[in-house]
Amino acid sequence: ATLAAEPMTINGAINKTFFLLLVLVASSYGVWDLFTKGYTDKAMMLMGVGFIVSIIAFLVIVFSRKAMNIWTPVYAAGEGLILGGISVIFEKSYPGIAVQAVTATFMALGSMLFLYKIGAIKCTEKFRSVIFISTLSIAGIYIINLIGSLFGMSVPQINTSSNIGIGFSIIVVIIASLNLIIDFDFIERGAQSLISKDFEWYGAFGLMVTLVWLYLEILRLFSKLRDR
């Protein structure tokens, strides 16, 4: 890697991750507040805006990697608008679930960071490829399920609170958690390779995307467990 004028650091990536999570929480709270005050139409509209904004920002960040200091906070704000709405919907059916899911998400983050630091889980090429294939497989199942739902069909059992449904959710939560190891590894290797400081934003973005996915999967798992 070429030596950058000011290289990426682990601390820089951590600080930017905190910043992105703060932006996400702030915009989530905005939609949550609107829902709880009864402004459902406004909240739903903001969720729609968040969906469009986050897709555009995601594509720009992944494919151009330009102006990441602008696009990553935009992405975080868009994701927050969606998450705020989803969290409120779950919270209405299962009071207290959002706080439980947030707590579990950060417990998973802490556990994975600890296992990574002590070298219990090493991010080898094999580990990376297994997690990548597993993640793609899960995405494939969700896409098939989404397309099927348009025609009144769905992948059997995965959305139910049956043993298979809960088992599926546990597997997905584990795969999402293990994706954090890949994010840590990217940040650590980026700092060691002295790549450009801009990539602190990219590392923070990757970490945030995984945490959002993990949070949503934990929400789903907890809701299935509550249904039992």
Side-chain angles (χ1 to χ4, degrees), residues 9-41:
T9 64
I10 292 174
N11 278 347
I14 291 168
N15 292 339
K16 288 173 173 64
T17 305
F18 274 119
F19 172 70
L20 293 180
L21 289 173
L22 279 175
V23 171
L24 185 136
V25 169
S27 67
S28 293
Y29 178 74
V31 171
W32 177 290
D33 195 47
L34 285 173
F35 262 114
T36 47
K37 286 178 177 164
Y39 299 115
T40 312
D41 294 352

